[in-house]
Amino acid sequence: MEYGKRPETMARITTKELADTFIAEQVAEIREQVGDKKVLLALSGGVDSSVVAALLIKAIGKQLVCVHVNHGLMRKGESEQVIEVFGKELDANLVYIDATDRFLDLLAGVSEPEKKRKIIGGEFIKVFDEEASKLEGISFLAQGTIYPDILESDGVKAHHNVGGLPEDMKMELVEPVKYLYKDEVRVVGEALGLPHGMVYRQPFPGPGLGVRCLGAITRDRLHALREADAILREEFDKNGLAGKVWQYFIAVPDMKSVGVKDGKRYEGWPAIIRAVNTTDAMSATIEEIPYALLHHITDRITHEVDGINRVLLDLTPKPIGTIEWE
Ligand code: XMP
């Protein structure tokens, strides 16, 4: 795919006014390109695909078919938000597929990180392909490609993109934000009326919680991870860290330690907090979370999450630790 360059005359989109102009131009271009045909979009709920969906809904309404595949490795509430925002508020043509069992069954007993990623990526394509083949008269495929993806297409993100679609899916592409940088995509998303939390959400790897539920994934440990992660996010939100820290999450290793709960021996997994700052994800530094907040988060996670009996803090910058554990 030849993408060309961002036009040098194109001003950086930093305000609502500039975003509105961009939106009006794109709406006209999309209508021109698509005519009365149908467009398919894999909607992950991430910033880029969400903004593309909102833009296409504005331009062509129900001619857009959004497919959201829940691989069972989403953070708490994410698939629900996609259904709420796109299915209900924006009244989109949304196909929701809960493929949790398919993914978790395939992943059962698989502990090797690269193998886990391959399974998740491969199955994603399969599920999406199956759904696409059930739909009739689709002529275009929309994608949330952004300019850094083009610039780095032979770099890190290429192998990262789990949402990557099959080569033989022969449809013309619609990529309305392909010359935008991430910050511009966010300004456009807000101008389109998407919720702030969706537009400014932190990056989330395609394989999702699959690379944070370390080793062979089990449903009970995945559940504990999701709940602990939701508490961390809630506390970062409440304490003004959500908008400040680049990426923060919990990882739960496949090991237990001894503890005591309600006067009885209680074996549980540790929840590891990772909170990092970076500009390009190539290197990262550690956010210094106030100790009082760490104590509070520890207290909540150990009391509210079944199966967790310790909370640990990862102090390792990148390098030498990667941001994700797997
Ligand atoms: P690492 O762990 O390599 O992560 O330091 C750098 C950034 O990339 C994200 N990441 C991924 N993103 N699919 C993605 O879309 C992936 O498979 C993937 N693996 C890591 C990671 O969350 C961090 O922001």
Side-chain angles (χ1 to χ4, degrees), residues 96 161 175 178 266:
Y96 169 69
N161 262 342
E175 298 180 298
K178 66 175 182 290
Y266 183 76

Side-chain angles (χ1 to χ4, degrees), residues 117 156-157 159-162 203-207 211-212 246-247 249 281-282 318 321-326:
R117 274 175 195 276
V156 176
K157 196 157 178 191
H159 82 271
H160 271 170
N161 262 342
V162 160
F204 186 53
V211 293
R212 299 176 182 171
W246 198 79
Q247 196 171 16
F249 56 85
M282 301 300 284
K318 174 181 181 175
T322 45
I323 294 177
E324 301 291 344
W325 270 58
E326 285 189 342

Side-chain angles (χ1 to χ4, degrees), residues 3-4 145-154 175 178-179:
Y3 278 107
T145 311
I146 65 171
Y147 202 43
D149 298 337
I150 297 174
L151 297 175
E152 297 159 16
S153 61
D154 46 10
E175 298 180 298
K178 66 175 182 290
Y179 291 137

Side-chain angles (χ1 to χ4, degrees), residues 211-323:
V211 293
R212 299 176 182 171
C213 191
L214 310 178
I217 299 167
T218 57
R219 286 172 197 249
D220 52 355
R221 194 157 50 87
L222 179 62
H223 179 75
L225 160 63
R226 182 176 285 121
E227 293 299 317
D229 187 69
I231 291 174
L232 182 77
R233 282 163 59 208
E234 192 187 318
E235 291 300 331
F236 268 43
D237 264 336
K238 269 197 221 153
N239 291 281
L241 290 173
K244 176 173 173 255
V245 184
W246 198 79
Q247 196 171 16
Y248 47 96
F249 56 85
I250 297 280
V252 177
D254 184 14
M255 61 152 303
K256 283 187 172 177
S257 70
V258 177
V260 188
K261 198 174 186 178
D262 303 325
K264 280 196 225 99
R265 182 184 168 99
Y266 183 76
E267 287 190 5
W269 304 290
I272 301 164
I273 298 174
R274 186 134 177 83
V276 299
N277 290 308
T278 176
T279 45
D280 57 6
M282 301 300 284
S283 64
T285 55
I286 299 302
E287 173 70 18
E288 297 198 0
I289 310 167
Y291 256 90
L293 179 58
L294 284 171
H295 285 301
H296 179 62
I297 292 170
T298 302
D299 194 57
R300 282 199 60 194
I301 292 179
T302 50
H303 285 90
E304 293 175 34
V305 183
D306 270 351
I308 302 280
N309 68 349
R310 287 173 200 262
V311 174
L312 315 182
L313 177 63
D314 184 350
L315 286 174
T316 323
K318 174 181 181 175
I320 197 165
T322 45
I323 294 177

Side-chain angles (χ1 to χ4, degrees), residues 8 17 23 27 38 40 52 67 74 104 114-115 124 131 161 169 177 183 186 190 206 220 235 253 284 290 295 309:
E8 270 169 30
E17 289 65 39
I23 292 165
V27 164
K38 282 194 200 160
L40 177 65
V52 167
V67 175
M74 307 290 280
L104 295 188
E114 279 312 303
K115 216 165 160 193
F124 184 91
E131 286 312 311
N161 262 342
M169 210 170 236
V177 299
D183 51 294
R186 294 195 157 119
E190 284 221 291
D220 52 355
E235 291 300 331
H295 285 301
N309 68 349

Side-chain angles (χ1 to χ4, degrees), residues 73-143:
L73 303 163
M74 307 290 280
R75 286 175 293 202
K76 189 170 179 175
E78 277 185 326
S79 284
E80 291 82 351
Q81 188 186 38
V82 168
I83 295 170
E84 181 62 35
V85 171
F86 292 98
K88 300 202 180 128
E89 287 168 28
L90 295 177
D91 193 26
N93 209 339
L94 173 69
V95 180
Y96 169 69
I97 302 156
D98 184 354
T100 302
D101 288 337
R102 277 179 71 158
F103 281 85
L104 295 188
D105 289 350
L106 276 177
L107 287 164
V110 181
S111 56
E112 215 242 300
E114 279 312 303
K115 216 165 160 193
K116 287 167 69 178
R117 274 175 195 276
K118 283 217 177 81
I119 290 176
I120 298 166
E123 192 62 10
F124 184 91
I125 290 174
K126 237 168 130 183
V127 174
F128 187 77
D129 217 10
E130 279 171 26
E131 286 312 311
S133 65
K134 287 184 205 158
L135 300 165
E136 300 211 331
I138 303 275
S139 314
F140 295 88
L141 184 70
Q143 289 195 151

Side-chain angles (χ1 to χ4, degrees), residues 180-196:
L180 300 194
Y181 288 99
K182 195 78 166 194
D183 51 294
E184 299 178 286
V185 177
R186 294 195 157 119
V187 176
V188 169
E190 284 221 291
L192 284 163
L194 289 175
H196 184 85

